[in-house]
Amino acid sequence: MSGSEHPDHLWRNPDPKRSYDVVIVGGGGHGLSTAYYLARNHGITNVAVLERGWLAGGNMARNTTVIRSNYLWDESAAIYEHSMKLWETLAEDLDYDILFSQRGVLNLTHSLHDTREAHRRVYANRLNGIDAEWLTPEEIKEFCPIVNLSPDLRYPVMGASLQRRGGIAKHDYVAWAFARQADAFGVDLVQNCEVTGFDLDGGRVTGVQTSRGPIAAGKVALCAAGHSTVLAAMVGLDLPIQSHPLQALVSELLEPALNCVVLSNAVHVYVSQAHKGELVMGAGIDPFISYAQRGSPHIIEYQLAAAVELFPIFSRAHVVRTWGGIVDVSPDASPIVGLTPIENLFVNCGWGTGGFKATPASGWVYAHTIARGEPHPLNAPFSLDRFARGALIDEHGAAAVAH
Amino acid sequence: MLLIPCPWCGQRDEIEFRYGGAAHVEYPADPETVDDATWARYLFVRPNPKGPLAERWCHSQGCRRWFNIVRDTVTHQIMRSYRMEEAP
């Protein structure tokens, strides 16, 4: 495949078989990449991905496609940088142009504290072998001329961290690329198939009940983001996850104006310009718990105010569409990937507001965990039992984005 | 935007309120005797139902008092609003 051609065939639409070696619950980006790496890295192909709706129609269709690995803590830096390295060869690996564009991610700072934290993060990133730079306002002007650097701003821009290898990709293509290759390995991608219960034999899971009948499984791998606690509750498992709306929006198609990704925590918005030309923006979660895939309008109003303050040239752009996803937020804003107290049942959730960038690495380490029955070194720190051990990986406020 | 019925002030816009998460989370009766798993459950695990949820809000831009509501997390319909001392 070359250029931006689409393949003629993406995947079959099979009926579920009665039994699989591995059943993955959730056909989003992470579920699909898990299926792909199970087949490619571990030779496990008798696998079903069960999706309640249509493939990649949840958060994978609703995120703002930002990719970066500039996390503060070593554990996070390691897994997100592994993801970045996978992104860098993913189009070739999957034989699909996913429009991965390493146009750079700027994290603006607006206070002395912001600035100190950004410096700390830049140095931490460098110690972990991740590219990171500090830009002065003059250097920001050169890199991204449309940022408002006026001292008259209520919270003037004091500088920015820059990860040049960060950027965006086309989220739908990423999902389709993983799905197509998983299908080619023989994985069954089963849509309109909702899991309604689990079959247990003693402390061991042996299969799932679904809206399309019972399916036996050697191993069951949860990968359902905002619905993780709903599934876990069916087997009496408590997950420290809260499901919140996270909203995003796009403008109409515009001429190229923004050449990189810009994030600001203090004047809270993140924005990039998609390949097609629309401005894509997001900010923080709605505070309350919701499964409605929609949030409150004032959240949109605040992020637009922030965007216009930082980018005065956006003031005449129009909002064409807003939407929401259901994000699975954990107490330390870090994912939970690993074993559960129930034998042969695995969990992958808690990616919260930042799961898209992790799509390849999440699948990579989760496939390893499922295949070997023990975590990959990269996800070992992200175990479910870290909360009882007090070994939190506290990325709240540290992860270069407010949550 | 949610229209939240404060038990003292009546219905007000969501922007006047601060969210406080799940209501009726009980502090362990004898915290020195609980094991790590129980303590972790108390600290980190909260109800996250798809359906009715009892939750705390504070009317921070109004009367500044905390209260509870029962709200459906799918429809956002608020079924009940009650004071902290009232039974769940």
Side-chain angles (χ1 to χ4, degrees), chain A residues 88-233:
Chain A
E88 287 173 331
T89 59
L90 201 60
E92 293 77 21
D93 288 351
L94 299 175
D95 189 26
Y96 202 123
D97 186 1
I98 54 168
L99 303 184
F100 179 49
S101 163
Q102 293 179 292
R103 54 184 64 183
V105 171
L106 274 180
N107 289 87
L108 304 179
T109 73
H110 303 268
S111 68
L112 189 55
H113 175 77
D114 249 5
T115 302
R116 285 172 175 159
E117 284 299 315
H119 275 96
R120 180 188 181 199
R121 188 164 42 71
V122 164
Y123 296 133
N125 289 163
R126 286 191 196 162
L127 287 172
N128 278 315
I130 297 169
D131 72 302
E133 298 164 46
W134 171 255
L135 299 193
T136 63
E138 296 71 34
E139 290 166 326
I140 295 172
K141 189 87 206 160
E142 204 160 305
F143 187 75
C144 185
I146 64 171
V147 175
N148 184 2
L149 298 166
S150 161
D152 296 336
L153 278 183
R154 173 66 183 83
Y155 298 102
V157 175
M158 296 179 71
S161 70
L162 168 63
Q163 183 177 25
R164 291 185 190 271
R165 288 161 65 238
I168 59 173
K170 178 84 178 135
H171 52 103
D172 288 333
Y173 294 179
V174 174
W176 300 342
F178 275 118
R180 173 170 167 262
Q181 293 296 353
D183 176 89
F185 275 115
V187 171
D188 280 356
L189 308 176
V190 185
Q191 304 178 74
N192 299 311
C193 184
E194 180 172 3
V195 169
T196 55
F198 294 84
D199 297 326
L200 293 174
D201 179 8
R204 199 158 54 91
V205 69
T206 57
V208 293
Q209 298 290 324
T210 80
S211 56
R212 299 180 69 173
I215 300 172
K219 295 174 178 180
V220 176
L222 305 182
C223 205
H227 277 77
S228 294
T229 59
V230 175
L231 286 166

Side-chain angles (χ1 to χ4, degrees), chain B residues 35-86:
Chain B
D35 59 17
D36 288 351
T38 309
W39 187 246
R41 203 171 308 122
Y42 163 67
L43 281 182
F44 299 120
V45 177
R46 291 290 179 272
N48 191 39
K50 190 177 184 178
L53 169 68
E55 60 190 13
R56 302 176 303 176
W57 288 81
C58 179
H59 195 186
S60 50
Q61 304 293 311
C63 65
R64 298 198 281 177
R65 281 189 276 201
W66 285 93
F67 59 96
N68 297 321
I69 67 173
V70 177
R71 182 181 58 89
D72 190 295
T73 61
V74 180
T75 63
H76 294 177
Q77 187 194 353
I78 296 169
M79 284 89 95
R80 192 178 163 215
S81 169
Y82 55 105
R83 300 181 184 190
M84 298 303 276
E85 72 274 16
E86 289 182 75

Side-chain angles (χ1 to χ4, degrees), chain A residues 278-302:
Chain A
E278 67 268 43
L279 297 169
V280 184
M281 296 184 198
I285 56 174
D286 279 64
F288 52 78
I289 289 171
S290 172
Y291 288 81
Q293 291 186 317
R294 61 190 160 82
S296 297
H298 67 274
I299 302 286
I300 297 288
E301 188 181 347
Y302 293 159

